[in-house]
Amino acid sequence: MSVNSDREPRAGVVGLGVIGGGVAVSMAARGRVPVVHDIRAHAADDLPGVPAPLSSPAEVARRADVVMVAVVDAEQARAVLTGPDGLLTAAHPGLVVVLQATVALPVVQELAAACAEAGAGFLDCGVTPGDRAAEHGMVAIVGGDAATVERARPVLDDWARRIVHCGPVGAGMATKIARNVITYGSWRTVHEAAALAGAAGVDPARLAEVIEAADPQGRTLLQLLHMRDGADALPGETGRVIAPLMAKDLAAATALAAERGVRVPLVEVARDRVRETLDLPAEAEAGTGTSAGPVAPVGVPRAPAPAAEASPASAPVAQDPRAFGLAVMDRVYGRGFGERMPPPGDLFQDETLSYLFAQVWARPGLAVRDRRLLTLGVAATVGRPDLVEIIVGGALENGELTPAQLEEAALHLATYTGWCKATATHEGIGRAIAAHRARTPAQDPAPAPTVHDAAPTPPTQEEATA
């Protein structure tokens, strides 16, 4: 059978779970009663207006022109479309298969090709929110050619409150997957924020009250996209204004998390990717505080500049490799550490700054925290507590690792380096934690001493290269 322009397209649904059942109910309520199939014989019993399931997907295809496939995964989708009694065994001119399952894009392309070979149209169609499927309340997120979308539109209109055609085949699924990232990513953000507030003695309900009062419409969630205003990137000036504020606030969050022993990996990633998030060039302006934000207030660890912000080819390296290396050293080991370096003229020390810090530590691809963990592993193999103390002190200063995590690291390294060397690692970690706690008591943070409090002491070669 084919779609006749003199009549409305007939609808079918395969899979009567929350989504498929809701779609069928919505269409029945609007007078377009679908034919349906489900492996459960009584799946339609509690679905108002929906008839009993037919025996197979093929039977649905014979009696419908637009068939929604609302199954769980790729395996089920393949079985429904291409199995022995699948939809495509009964394909007819004008048949359109609408895949509502969230599957990987290669699977979408595979099923679209199978439909094309059988002479059927294909649309990938993510849906949201699923809990409103039976209320004509979902958005259809569609990928496919425009002609196929228009053929299916009368049926889609009867269960979707809005149809968004995102582009060719695969575009609907890609948009749905990206939307899911926002959903689940925001859940993780809320988890970390609530844990942080709770650790500071704040009832998470008060956090929710503040957010709902300040932004009742939830506009903040998509504010970055709206600020781009349809462009590929934020206006440069907007990003430059926001960057120091974003870096400062995220540095404060990681500092609080470190103090209270709360794991906030998402916050750490956001802190390490400030410029990337704000569409700013991958550059680091040594000494200006603008690469990731201003110098943090006394008592609050500075956020380390994102690894992607500095590269060997960046302008500050070319202009003054030594100054840039000193700035990176301060980011790695704490404000003022670079002042312990001797004046220019020592070949080894000069190369340490202009190559090891200005180029290696500043390379994109790994965050400062990642490079620190690798360096800590190397230091642990030589059994030098003084080197370990320097490396760990920087981690604590930047809020990258908590004391509990560092103690766990000592135990982990003992398995690989042997207990004798691990004793030195444990000693160095203990010294760094004690010094950090002395500078930043949990209840009453005191200003951290700087190198100006005493005459600068040149670091040894081992300290400089740690």
Side-chain angles (χ1 to χ4, degrees), residues 206 268 282 305 311 359 396 400 404:
R206 302 287 73 78
E268 292 169 1
S311 70
Q359 297 191 45
L396 292 166
E400 295 166 2

Side-chain angles (χ1 to χ4, degrees), residues 70-171:
V71 294
V72 174
D73 55 27
E75 182 180 355
Q76 291 183 3
R78 289 188 182 102
V80 167
L81 269 69
T82 63
D85 290 313
L87 292 171
L88 298 183
T89 63
H92 55 79
L95 176 66
V96 177
V97 175
V98 181
L99 180 66
Q100 295 181 312
T102 301
V103 297
L105 291 182
V107 177
V108 171
Q109 300 295 343
E110 170 196 330
L111 297 177
C115 286
E117 185 177 350
F122 178 87
L123 300 175
D124 54 286
C125 181
V127 295
T128 188
D131 58 359
R132 297 191 59 196
E135 306 166 15
H136 194 256
M138 293 197 299
V139 176
I141 310 166
V142 182
D145 67 81
T148 305
V149 173
E150 290 310 308
R151 289 214 314 272
R153 186 178 291 277
V155 173
L156 302 182
D157 276 335
D158 278 344
W159 60 260
R161 64 180 173 86
R162 184 166 181 175
I163 300 167
V164 180
H165 184 198
C166 300
V169 167

Side-chain angles (χ1 to χ4, degrees), residues 418-444:
W419 228 256
C420 292
K421 289 180 178 177
T423 300
T425 303
H426 181 259
E427 179 185 343
I429 289 175
R431 289 180 190 172
I433 291 172
H436 179 71
R437 284 174 173 162
R439 291 194 301 270
T440 56
Q443 300 302 318
D444 184 21

